[in-house]
Amino acid sequence: MLHDSYPWRNEIRKLIEDLQAIRLPSEYDEEDDGDFRIERALLYSAYATRLLLDAGKMTDEANEYRLSVGVMPNIMNEPEKIQPLFRRVPDSECYDYASEQTKTVLARRILNQIIHSFVVIMYEVDELGRVMGFYVTSDYAANTELYHIKMDNWIEYLTRIVDNEIAEMHSYFDSEKGRWTTYSS
């Protein structure tokens, strides 16, 4: 349980700045740690956001936020029988990038994809090195699909989380369920 949500929100705010500022080199550079810093910002932001949601520090509406994402099907025959180590890079032998379909999913699903990532997170990068999107799938979903999340959508979602404030809380004891139910808005 979290005592205070503001330090976590401030941390997410800093991670948003990192995601917007970090540039990746056009060619591999052993000295450059941009890919690590992007990966860290994605993982930390996903974890901190889920922590806030699970601790009840967000409104009920925040638990229902949805993201528009690209979804690509896994095209491997019996992927569960292939050594997971050989499937860590989500290339075109594993997923059909040409069949990407746009879907709207609960943001919590994407949080879990990042936190439980099965693959090495891959990035969509523009000519200036800005990360425009990323590809991720969890160990749970890897046998069926890969997600493509646009960075603008991810940052917009995180900004909504940072700005989400609980103004009212209502609770009552539900005798049929034998527990307290709380609503936050």
Side-chain angles (χ1 to χ4, degrees), residues 22-26 123-133:
I22 296 169
R23 300 291 182 261
L24 298 179
S26 58
Y123 308 109
E124 172 187 8
V125 181
D126 72 7
E127 63 279 350
L128 300 175
R130 291 181 298 222
V131 176
M132 305 304 290

Side-chain angles (χ1 to χ4, degrees), residues 77-94:
N77 290 323
E78 300 180 319
E80 64 281 352
K81 293 183 179 178
I82 297 171
Q83 167 58 265
L85 183 61
F86 298 132
R87 298 174 43 215
R88 293 292 185 199
V89 177
D91 60 20
S92 60
E93 292 180 18
C94 299

Side-chain angles (χ1 to χ4, degrees), residues 66-72 99-111 113-114 134-136 145-151 153-154 157:
R66 300 181 80 74
L67 283 171
S68 176
V69 300
V71 180
M72 283 132 313
S99 295
E100 181 173 339
Q101 293 186 347
T102 302
K103 294 185 180 178
T104 302
V105 300
L106 280 174
R108 181 178 282 274
R109 180 167 183 79
I110 301 306
L111 295 173
Q113 299 303 306
I114 296 169
F134 58 95
Y135 299 88
V136 68
E145 57 199 6
L146 176 72
Y147 293 94
H148 177 205
I149 297 89
K150 294 291 187 183
M151 190 61 77
N153 291 353
W154 183 247
Y157 169 65

